[in-house]
Structure formats: C-alpha cells, structure tokens
C-alpha cells in the first residue's frame, strides 16, 4: 500500500465521524470532533509523535525529545462545512502525518522538532467566526468570540467547556517567534486549475482575504391579503433586491466574490408579510483594497435599497481575515521539493481561505495544493485521488528535509 493509498483509506474511515446526512458534517467541539480526535491521535502516534490537546481544541503531535528546539509546523483543520467533502482540511492532517512517518522510515534526522496540528475550527460554520486555533498560536485570539452563539444558543465558551477544554487557557497558547521555523499546509485545491493543467500539485502564491457580515432588514408585517402592495415595508423584498444587486456588482469586479449563504425570514408564514430578514454576506477578493472598495459599494447599495422599500437595515461585521502572501522561502522549499520529485512546478493563488492565512501572522507560511476532481468542494462529491496524495506526501516530506538541511 502506498502512502497515498493509506491516506485515502484513513480519509474514508474518518469521513464516518460526521453528523447524519449527505457528505461530511463535522463541526468543532462536538461528539463528531471528539471521535475524530481519537482517530487523528492514532495517525500521529503511528508517525512517532507525542500527542496533546491544547486549550482551543487543536490536536498537537510533536516529535519526542526535542524539548526547547524550534519546530516546523504542519497540518490543517479537522472540521468541515455542512454536507461537505471528505478532503477539505482533514486531508492536510493525514498527508502531514504520513509525510512525518515517511521521513522517520527513511531515517531522516532533523535539527528541529516537527509538529502536526489538527485545528478545530477553520470553516466558521458553527460560530460566526473562525481560525480560533491558529489565531491563538499567533497571539491574535480575541476572547470576545467566546460569547458568540451557535444555532442552538450555546456559546463557544460553553461548547469548549463541555468538550473538556478550559478556554481561559487559550491566550497562553501564543508561540514565541523563535520557537517556530514555519508552517506548511497541504490542502485540496477546491478549484479546477490543477485538473485543467493536468498537474497533481501546485504551490500557493497568495491566499484571498475574506469579510463576513450579519445583515438584518426590518420592515413591517401584515395580512398578505388585506394589505395593498403599495406602501408595504416588506423586508424580504428589500433583502432579495440586495442579494441580486451585490451578486451583480461582484460579477463586474474581476476575482471578487460575494455570497449570501444563509437567510432567515420572520414571521416566516405563508400569509404574512415578512417583517424581518437576517442574512449572512461574505465578500472575498484577491487584495484587501479591492475588498474594502467593494464593501463600501455594497454598503451604499444596501442603504439605497432599504430607503426605496421603506425598511431599516443593520449591518454587523462578524469576521475578517486579510489577504496573505505565502512566504517566498516556504514557496521555494515546496518548489524545489516538487522538482526533486520530478513534478513540474505550478504556482497559483487560493480563492479559499485557510489556517495558513492566520499562521502567517506567526511565522513564514506556505501551502501545497492537491488536484481536486472537477474543482468540486464544500460538497459531498469532493475528491482527491490516492496517487496525487502520494505525490503530496512525498513533496511535503522532501520540503521538510530541505528546510532541515538549510
Ligand atoms: O471558506 C473557505 O474559503 C474555507 O474553505 N474555509
Ligand atoms: Mn479548508
Ligand atoms: Mn472549507
Ligand atoms: Mn503521480
């Protein structure tokens, strides 16, 4: 069995650690997360790593006996979106564990420690924020997020405590810059570029920035049959015009993305005019300047529409992650490793955000993309093949080795 085939088998097994329903739904600090921790711990021990769980719920596998030595960090996230795929995030953890095992089996001795990190929450699906684990390591953890609530009304603090963690310990997780050499993350591309180019791997040049908002339109409900159309203050009419307007505006700006993924209508009955609509708005752009310009444009437009329809509108920013350029040294280590593995080097930007976005605040960060069938992701039919994962394990191991020989 190749390392890639072993990765494929492990990912099939851990995909079962999910809520019921299509695809994988594994949210942070849940029973599904707890089951996944046991499996990932076994992957880490199989790679010869000592395993511990930190206060944010990040599982940490570290090479033993390297006390006080700086560490090269590998890893990705264990969580998924709702009805997501088997590879987003967790494949990076599996590939990292098998790259460490490969180095061990080759008898490679490194002058630094290696850690594999399985972050709890990268997607921001359960709570309206994300990247808790990497932001804690980078000293960017904002304790205010502990009061954010999930759809059941549980706060992040409660969720963590019920998971057996002490969130008060999160600020102490910050790493000193001289304790960390860098961070390398393997991740399924989640787009079509590598498949189109007929390549198995790509080196990421930059990661997009992202802003998320909670937008609430407040109008007036009334009888659907007796209230004339003229003069209605229908919150859903305003929201619908806004969704269409922001989508058209984003389409007109190259590489800018606007998505309304969630919407809730009150009173939500067939024969009453919607009085309140709350929705999530997400903006992404390759540069923070483009994203900021687009945000101003979207905010102007939402006020115009609210005035036209006679409703009030409230906008709260819930999450922000600036765009990040991957570290040239890490890119070079990955590129040389690809060349050493007889793979042509493909360099490409990322339209998805990643744990590496936040890790870049702590240390030099690099990413390795793995070909994604049909560019499909955040869907149950997301797929990466064993052969490509085998390439990724080899290249990641090679990159660690080359950093170790610098
Ligand atoms: O949404 C993203 O870009 C990532 O998959 N969390
Ligand atoms: Mn991901
Ligand atoms: Mn994702
Ligand atoms: Mn191959």
């Amino acid at each position: 069995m190749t390392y890639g085939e072993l990765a494929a088998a492990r990912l099939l097994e851990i995909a079962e650690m999910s809520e019921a329903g299509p695809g994988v739904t594994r949210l942070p600090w849940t029973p599904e997360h707890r089951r996944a921790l046991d499996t990932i711990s076994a992957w880490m021990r199989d790679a010869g790593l000592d395993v511990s769980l930190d206060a944010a719920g990040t599982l940490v596998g570290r090479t033993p006996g390297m006390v006080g030595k700086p560490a090269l960090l590998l890893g990705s996230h264990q969580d998924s979106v709702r009805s997501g795929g088997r590879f987003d995030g967790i494949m990076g953890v599996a590939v990292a564990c098998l790259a460490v095992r490969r180095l061990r089996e080759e008898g490679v001795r490194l002058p630094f420690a290696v850690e594999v990190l399985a972050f709890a929450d990268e997607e921001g699906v359960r709570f309206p924020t994300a990247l808790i684990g990497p932001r804690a390591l980078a000293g960017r953890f904002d304790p205010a997020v502990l009061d954010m609530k999930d759809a059941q009304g549980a706060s992040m603090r409660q969720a963590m405590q019920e998971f057996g963690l002490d969130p008060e310990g999160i600020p102490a997780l910050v790493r000193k810059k001289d304790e960390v050499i860098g961070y390398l993350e393997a991740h399924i591309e989640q787009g079509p570029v590598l498949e189109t180019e007929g390549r198995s791997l790509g080196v990421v040049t930059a990661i997009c920035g992202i802003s998320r908002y909670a937008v609430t339109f407040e109008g007036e409900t009334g009888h659907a049959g007796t209230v004339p159309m003229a003069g209605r203050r229908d919150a859903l009419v305003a929201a619908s015009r806004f969704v269409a307007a922001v989508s058209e505006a984003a389409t007109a700006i190259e590489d800018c993305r606007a998505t309304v993924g969630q919407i809730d209508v009150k009173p939500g009955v067939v024969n009453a005019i919607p009085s309140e609509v709350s929705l999530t708005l997400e903006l992404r752009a390759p540069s923070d300047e483009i994203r900021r310009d687009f945000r101003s444009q979207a905010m102007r437009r939402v006020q115009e529409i609210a005035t036209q329809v006679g409703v009030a509108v409230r906008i709260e920013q819930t999450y922000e992650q600036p765009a990040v350029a991957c570290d040239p040294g890490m890119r070079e280590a990955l590129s040389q490793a690809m060349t050493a593995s007889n793979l042509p080097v493909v360099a490409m930007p990322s339209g998805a955000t990643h744990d590496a976005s936040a890790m870049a605040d702590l240390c030099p960060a690099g990413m390795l993309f793995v070909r994604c069938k049909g560019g499909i992701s955040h869907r149950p039919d997301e797929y990466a093949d064993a052969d490509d994962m085998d390439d990724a394990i080899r290249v990641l191991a090679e990159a660690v080795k080359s950093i170790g020989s610098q």
Side-chain angles (χ1 to χ4, degrees):
M1 184 179 246
T2 68
Y3 290 109
E5 288 162 347
L6 182 49
R10 287 179 169 181
L11 290 171
L12 267 175
E13 180 200 355
I14 203 164
E16 297 309 310
M17 296 164 198
S18 159
E19 291 179 24
V24 177
T25 302
R26 184 168 57 247
L27 304 187
W29 313 299
T30 60
E32 294 76 29
H33 181 190
R34 170 63 63 197
R35 289 176 57 208
L37 286 185
D38 294 340
T39 299
I40 301 167
S41 299
W43 299 352
M44 290 179 171
R45 281 194 294 275
D46 167 70
L49 300 172
D50 289 341
V51 182
S52 60
L53 186 67
D54 81 11
T58 301
L59 196 65
V60 181
R62 183 181 168 97
T63 39
M66 302 292 271
V67 178
K69 294 267 189 185
L72 179 62
L73 309 179
L74 310 177
S76 190
H77 59 97
Q78 69 79 36
D79 65 319
S80 71
V81 293
R82 288 196 178 287
S83 304
R86 294 192 283 115
F87 299 86
D88 178 1
I90 194 67
M91 179 183 75
V93 178
V95 162
C97 290
L98 286 165
V100 172
R101 177 171 134 174
R102 184 184 170 112
L103 288 165
R104 192 164 167 255
E105 287 171 352
E106 287 174 6
V108 173
R109 302 189 65 72
L110 295 164
F112 45 69
V114 175
E115 290 185 18
V116 176
L117 304 169
F119 293 115
D121 172 43
E122 186 275 343
E123 297 289 0
V125 163
R126 181 173 180 186
F127 297 97
T129 184
L131 300 180
I132 308 305
R135 286 184 171 178
L137 300 183
R140 294 285 180 105
F141 172 70
D142 172 6
V145 302
L146 292 173
D147 297 320
M148 286 187 167
K149 299 236 187 318
D150 66 11
Q152 284 69 42
S155 69
M156 187 186 290
R157 178 181 286 101
Q158 270 171 290
M160 287 180 165
Q161 287 165 341
E162 281 160 25
F163 198 70
L165 302 172
D166 172 16
E168 304 317 314
I170 294 177
L173 294 176
V174 60
R175 297 287 181 98
K176 293 191 190 70
K177 297 247 183 215
D178 62 3
E179 289 173 342
V180 179
I181 292 166
Y183 173 73
L184 287 175
E185 179 173 356
H187 198 287
I188 188 167
E189 178 200 339
Q190 299 181 292
V193 172
L194 290 173
E195 185 177 65
T196 310
E197 307 230 346
R199 302 289 181 221
S200 61
L201 304 180
V203 178
V204 178
T205 54
I207 306 170
C208 78
I210 192 169
S211 305
R212 289 179 181 157
Y213 306 89
V215 183
T216 306
F217 295 89
E218 288 170 343
E220 184 180 12
T221 189
H223 193 295
T226 57
V227 177
M229 292 308 287
R232 282 188 178 192
R233 298 194 309 114
D234 184 328
L236 188 51
V237 167
S240 314
R241 285 189 194 169
F242 176 64
V243 172
V246 81
S247 170
E248 279 151 31
T251 307
I253 305 170
E254 192 183 358
D255 288 339
C256 184
R257 311 270 194 272
T259 309
V260 173
Q262 290 169 282
I263 189 164
D264 178 68
V265 181
K266 291 189 173 63
V269 295
V270 66
N271 54 359
I273 301 166
S275 52
E276 182 181 303
V277 172
S278 47
L279 53 83
T280 59
L281 171 66
E282 184 195 86
L283 306 180
R284 297 181 192 225
S287 83
D288 292 340
E289 191 195 350
I290 294 174
R291 188 160 44 88
R292 270 196 288 276
D293 288 351
F294 183 64
R295 176 190 183 284
S296 317
Q297 190 185 338
M299 296 308 134
R300 271 196 307 279
R301 193 78 187 88
V302 76
Q303 294 295 354
E304 285 165 11
I305 291 169
T307 308
Q308 278 165 9
V309 183
V311 302
V313 63
R314 275 186 290 117
I315 300 145
E316 182 204 347
Q317 176 154 12
T318 55
Y319 176 63
E320 166 103 346
Q321 178 53 51
V324 160
C326 292
D327 174 74
M330 289 294 148
R331 283 179 54 183
E332 185 51 29
L334 289 167
S335 304
Q336 280 180 7
M338 286 180 71
T339 306
S341 307
N342 300 319
L343 290 166
V345 179
V346 176
M348 55 196 290
S350 173
T353 56
H354 298 284
D355 295 297
S357 306
M359 289 301 281
D361 287 328
L362 170 64
C363 61
M367 285 196 76
L368 184 66
F369 268 173
V370 180
R371 178 164 35 193
C372 172
K373 189 165 179 291
I376 291 167
S377 184
H378 283 191
R379 276 175 33 176
D381 49 347
E382 175 187 74
Y383 182 78
D385 83 19
D387 191 22
D388 293 349
M389 289 193 281
D390 200 57
D391 289 349
I393 292 159
R394 179 169 56 250
V395 165
L396 193 58
E398 195 61 41
V400 173
K401 221 177 340 184
S402 81
I403 293 167
S405 62
Q406 281 167 2

